[in-house]
Amino acid sequence: MMKLSEGAIEALANGNGWNDAILQLVNIRKIDGGSGPARFRVMMSDGRDTLSSFMLSTQLNFMAEENILAPNCICNLKRHVTNILKDGRRVVIILEIDVLKSANEVAGRIGDPTPYFDGQNKGLQQAPAPAPAPAPAPVPETRPLQQQNRNEVSRGYNRDLVKKAPPAMPVTPGGGSKVVPIASLNPYQSKWTVRARVTNKSSIRTWSNSRGDGRLFSMEIVDESGEIRVTAFNQEVDKFYSLIEVGKVYYVTKGSLKIANKQYTSVKNDYEMTLNGESTIIPCEDNCDVPMVQCDFIPIADLEKREKDAIVDVIGVCKSVDEVTRLTTKSNREVSKRTLNLMDMSGKMVSVTLWGEEAEKFDGSEQPIVAIKGAKLSDFGGRSISASFSSTLMINPDIPEAYKIRGWFDNEGHTVVGQSLTERRGTGIIGGIHIWKTLSEVKAEHLGHGDKADYFSCTATIVYLRKENCLYQACPSQDCNKKVIDQQNGMFRCEKCDKEFPNFKYRLILSANIADYGDNQWVTCFQESAEAILGQNAAYLGQLKDSNESAFDEVFQKANFNTLIFHNRVKLETYNDESRIKATVLSVAPVDHIEYIRRLMVNIRGLAAK
Amino acid sequence: MAGILDVPKPRINCSMLSQHINRPVCFLGRVEKVHSTGKTFTMLDGEGQTATVELNEPLEEELSGIVEVIGMVSNKGVLMATTYNILQEDKGIPFGLELYNEAVKVLHDFPQYYPFQVTTSS
């Protein structure tokens, strides 16, 4: 029985040479080189340790192909060279080897060798060389490796081993072709591999229609040459969804390509990819060359020029943000929503709406830089942005544009008041930002004269409250506020509910005149705002009016000359050929002096700069 | 005392003391340290600078928090106080000294809009 060179494996693994090592070949495996020659990976034993990081140099391929080298044969490693991989592990290239005893002359494994471990080689041993049918317990490399333990080291090793002489050429782990740029992908070639970073990943969406149920998720991947959208359906969702992590780099092979449906994405590629049963996705650890994200940011000022429903990339500073609200969709699903105001260096601002978990988790407290790739441009309120399920939301991204905006904002941008492209609706407060107007501006700018109502906020002082006819008798039903008719028989009739009631509830309609330094404005305050201004509820006031005139008057005296913040809606209304501007107070709030002063400072300095 | 109360007293901070030597001013800041004699104390303005205030008589009460001092600026840049009043900080909203400082700067940057003069009605 030949004596193996015990200790040779350890030496070779550590880069110390060993001349004429007598080793037993444990396993040999062919690795498909694609367009190049095949490579053979060999596992050798010195009776004590085994090491699988041997590669047969191509000129010796014939020895493998002719079965001269076969499991169990004893060899003398006459010449070898050791390559060191990027991560420090070693590969022993067999340059010259003599078979001392052929496989059939050897009974079996000599000794009881165990895989050689040191820090470097741990990974090597954990990837037992997958072999064709006769070999024991293989893990086929070409299958997505998320099914085994995600040991980055072993996968990277496999990739590196198959490298040919120039180590710079990225070659895929087994069974693949060379890496091609994303920009070159097309439907007419099927054997390709790309190496790309995942820039976004959607959540799993399910659908149910007459043809059955399905699920899908989509992602976008980017490399040095470009980007492409990738979708996986049904089984591929199960296979790949948990494997993919945004920001990490993967090798992707054998997806199917088809013409892109540009409606759903801002990704610049004529094609998009669908993963199928043959596709593989394998994490790649050597990812420093792959760019982080590809975005084509549009200045917010240019959004006006783009068409509605366009898919765009935007970046800016989150100047302010609203609270999260929940609303119910048409399909009776509850969804969270949050609006924020994004401003860029053009000084223009736009409202951005976030949905779902993104809305809930968003924290705008530090005025972060927010970038959204693939956001939808809507004509809601003029122009506004919505993050769809396929958009990528990035907070303070590590990209040059973000740093530029951060620098601009910290130095001067924070004083810019910002001009929003998004009209105010509803309460006139979107994204936490009010449109502040002075009463003279309201008149000078003809607010309310357009087709739609205008909304604004102002700081003003109450100079007159009309106490006559400020209360009316309303229908006592829960949601009905219609004025009831006194039937004079102790009953009150509501036309809307078509019912009679023995009682009513008092409601307020308060006519008031408010003024600031420049002008005054007649406004109407309904229940909530009237009660806030008067500091009493309608029912109590009704009582006072009927019972204690002087106490009733006193309420109005006290409320007069208070200075408050008014949120108003103003609209031109036509009634019998007469058009009048009607202003309604939607809500009132006490003046926040600190915020008011800051705003005035910004305005003063802004005016001074002009 | 009557004299100083009748004339305009521009509000200033520490950086403006030197431009107002021998003039009556109004200085508002936070008390920093009171001298043991009680006749002088230091104050911080909204920019964090310190001004020294001298009184005719020693203090009869604890002085702390936000104080508004009216007086003349001496050649040496010390505020010779004629009168002072303490702003209660336990009432209302906390006093924003930095914001006050910003306002004072605005007053001096735009004198055309904030003229310091007495208009006598005839």
Side-chain angles (χ1 to χ4, degrees), chain A residues 41-44 50-55 124-125 127 129 157 161:
Chain A
R41 181 173 166 190
V42 187
M43 184 192 281
M44 301 296 251
T50 65
L51 190 66
S52 63
S53 45
F54 289 90
M55 292 298 287
L124 306 177
Q125 305 312 325
Y157 163 66
L161 259 206

Side-chain angles (χ1 to χ4, degrees), chain A residues 444-559:
Chain A
E445 292 173 18
H446 298 296
L447 288 181
H449 282 245
D451 299 325
K452 296 203 245 194
D454 282 318
Y455 297 84
F456 69 93
S457 299
C458 65
T459 306
T461 307
I462 300 170
V463 291
Y464 180 76
L465 288 167
R466 181 175 293 144
K467 59 180 199 273
E468 295 78 33
N469 294 326
C470 64
L471 285 160
Y472 73 97
Q473 296 163 333
C475 175
S477 322
Q478 179 86 336
D479 289 315
C480 180
N481 293 327
K482 183 148 177 70
K483 182 169 172 176
V484 290
I485 304 168
D486 190 342
Q487 307 277 54
Q488 302 296 345
N489 56 2
M491 295 299 274
F492 299 88
R493 181 171 169 69
C494 172
E495 293 292 347
K496 192 160 146 198
C497 301
D498 197 22
K499 269 168 61 172
E500 281 193 358
F501 301 93
N503 58 349
F504 57 82
K505 57 183 196 242
Y506 270 120
R507 283 188 68 86
L508 283 161
I509 298 189
L510 183 61
S511 193
N513 189 284
I514 61 176
D516 64 14
Y517 75 90
D519 211 321
N520 69 358
Q521 177 70 49
W522 283 98
V523 295
T524 308
C525 311
F526 292 101
Q527 185 83 343
E528 290 76 21
S529 48
E531 286 182 335
I533 287 173
L534 294 171
Q536 299 291 354
N537 65 38
Y540 179 65
L541 280 168
Q543 247 191 305
L544 275 186
K545 176 152 150 301
D546 293 336
S547 61
N548 189 344
E549 184 99 33
S550 56
F552 181 74
D553 287 347
E554 207 184 308
V555 171
F556 285 82
Q557 293 268 33
K558 271 184 71 179

Side-chain angles (χ1 to χ4, degrees), chain A residues 322-429:
Chain A
D322 274 342
E323 296 285 311
V324 154
T325 57
R326 283 188 80 75
L327 42 98
T328 320
T329 68
K330 287 183 216 142
S331 40
N332 271 332
R333 262 187 320 128
E334 276 229 328
V335 71
S336 302
K337 172 181 157 178
R338 193 196 283 264
T339 333
L340 61 105
N341 266 304
L342 203 66
M343 179 167 80
D344 68 4
M345 300 200 285
S346 66
K348 290 281 169 91
M349 256 182 355
V350 70
S351 257
V352 178
T353 307
L354 303 177
W355 302 92
E357 218 183 291
E358 270 178 359
E360 285 161 19
K361 292 207 288 212
F362 184 79
D363 178 8
S365 53
E366 309 264 303
Q367 290 181 311
I369 306 295
V370 172
I372 310 181
K373 185 174 160 62
K376 185 149 145 196
L377 181 64
S378 132
D379 64 354
F380 176 80
R383 277 288 176 270
S384 56
I385 296 273
S386 179
S388 68
F389 72 89
S390 59
S391 315
T392 316
L393 177 72
M394 292 170 271
I395 317 275
N396 286 325
D398 188 10
I399 50 179
E401 291 93 334
Y403 292 112
K404 261 203 324 224
I405 296 187
R406 178 95 262 153
W408 163 81
F409 188 72
D410 288 344
N411 286 327
E412 10 156 336
H414 63 275
T415 60
V416 175
V417 175
Q419 220 189 330
S420 181
L421 299 181
T422 313
E423 237 174 59
R424 306 307 165 192
R425 291 280 198 86
T427 60
I429 307 166

Side-chain angles (χ1 to χ4, degrees), chain A residues 137-337:
Chain A
V139 177
E141 276 184 302
T142 49
R143 254 210 269 126
L145 286 172
Q146 83 277 18
Q147 288 162 4
Q148 58 167 339
N149 65 320
R150 295 165 46 110
N151 186 334
E152 284 195 337
V153 164
S154 64
R155 284 188 289 275
Y157 163 66
N158 290 334
R159 166 176 73 84
D160 287 323
L161 259 206
V162 182
K163 262 188 239 182
K164 293 165 66 160
M169 182 132 42
V171 183
T172 60
S177 30
K178 280 212 281 277
V179 169
V180 299
I182 285 181
S184 72
L185 290 175
N186 62 70
Y188 314 110
Q189 280 179 290
S190 53
K191 285 182 106 184
W192 46 260
T193 304
V194 291
R195 181 177 74 152
R197 193 187 302 270
V198 175
T199 54
N200 87 346
K201 173 174 118 173
S202 75
S203 45
I204 301 181
R205 289 170 62 79
T206 57
W207 74 82
S208 188
N209 59 24
S210 49
R211 284 181 287 160
D213 302 335
R215 346 183 259 297
L216 71 88
F217 83 94
S218 60
M219 62 179 183
E220 281 161 28
I221 61 176
V222 66
D223 73 1
E224 302 84 347
S225 72
E227 48 179 0
I228 189 166
R229 184 180 159 77
V230 181
T231 310
F233 292 91
N234 302 321
Q235 281 153 319
E236 276 69 54
V237 171
D238 298 326
K239 248 194 334 198
F240 296 121
Y241 189 77
S242 42
L243 167 67
I244 303 287
E245 272 178 56
V246 175
K248 293 225 161 92
V249 179
Y250 300 87
Y251 287 104
V252 181
T253 76
K254 296 209 184 114
S256 19
L257 275 309
K258 62 175 201 227
I259 306 273
N261 186 344
K262 294 259 170 85
Q263 201 189 355
Y264 293 120
T265 175
S266 71
V267 170
K268 280 161 206 50
N269 198 314
D270 292 331
Y271 301 109
E272 55 184 352
M273 188 193 308
T274 307
L275 300 174
N276 55 47
E278 302 235 313
S279 312
T280 73
I281 300 190
I282 297 165
C284 158
E285 62 181 283
D286 177 19
N287 55 20
C288 39
D289 308 327
V290 183
M292 295 291 280
V293 68
Q294 286 240 13
C295 278
D296 187 14
F297 293 116
I298 299 190
I300 292 179
D302 289 352
L303 287 175
E304 287 179 304
K305 304 181 198 146
R306 302 293 295 264
E307 293 224 334
K308 98 174 195 144
D309 292 339
I311 306 280
V312 294
D313 301 339
V314 286
I315 187 170
V317 58
C318 167
K319 198 139 190 320
S320 66
V321 65
D322 274 342
E323 296 285 311
V324 154
T325 57
R326 283 188 80 75
L327 42 98
T328 320
T329 68
K330 287 183 216 142
S331 40
N332 271 332
R333 262 187 320 128
E334 276 229 328
V335 71
S336 302
K337 172 181 157 178

Side-chain angles (χ1 to χ4, degrees), chain A residues 593-594 597 601 604-605 608, chain B residues 93 99 102-103 105-106 109-110:
Chain A
H593 292 96
I594 303 271
I597 292 172
M601 287 292 184
I604 290 173
R605 294 293 177 194
Chain B
I93 57 175
L99 272 178
E102 291 294 311
K105 291 209 288 207
V106 167
D109 287 345
F110 304 103

